[in-house]
Amino acid sequence: QEQLVDSGGGTVQVGGSLRLSCTVSGRTFNWLTLGWFRQAPGKEREFVARILWKGGSQYYADSVKGRFAISRDTAENTMYLQMNDLKPEDTAVYYCAASPIRTMTTQFTAWGQGTQVTVSS
């Protein structure tokens, strides 16, 4: 069975950096798109970034463009989110997600358990 395990969260100060990881196990060939979403307390879950598993095309939310970078290692079945210049508004639980189709921000059907990112000022 397919499983996504995300990790790498923590607490950093404003302007700091973190790198999140998401390891995909199971029938990884099922997934054409991988992505990151986040949910802050009291807010709805929002899209952060996505990458096509084949080809590596990337797409970002405007709020993180230029600060975050999504990448993947197909040999290791792992996706990453490098987060730089972190701001307090980046504080949230971050979830990795996978979709069986090529998509932008919707139709993700598998989810990781979430990893907490806290940016302190």
Side-chain angles (χ1 to χ4, degrees), residues 1 6-7 10 14 17 26-27 33 36 42 47-49 61 67 70 81 84 88 90 92-93 105 113 120:
Q1 183 168 347
D6 40 34
S7 62
V14 172
S17 298
R27 296 178 294 177
T33 308
W36 289 97
F47 168 79
V48 175
R67 300 187 297 122
I70 190 171
L81 185 68
N84 300 323
D90 295 318
V93 177
T105 67
Q113 80 283 4
S120 61

Side-chain angles (χ1 to χ4, degrees), residues 10 12-16 18 20 37-41 43 46 48 63-65 67-68 81 83-94 115-120:
V12 295
Q13 293 187 333
V14 172
L18 279 175
L20 305 184
F37 290 75
R38 67 186 181 186
Q39 187 167 21
K43 295 187 177 181
E46 65 174 0
V48 175
S63 58
V64 306
K65 201 173 296 183
R67 300 187 297 122
F68 290 11
L81 185 68
M83 305 185 295
N84 300 323
D85 189 23
L86 283 161
K87 304 176 180 181
E89 52 264 41
D90 295 318
T91 295
V93 177
Y94 283 70
T115 185
Q116 176 71 46
V117 171
T118 302
V119 184
S120 61

Side-chain angles (χ1 to χ4, degrees), residues 4 6 22 33-37 79 95-99 108-112:
L4 282 66
D6 40 34
C22 176
T33 308
L34 295 183
W36 289 97
F37 290 75
M79 173 181 63
Y95 299 89
C96 65
S99 172
F108 287 82
T109 56
W111 297 86

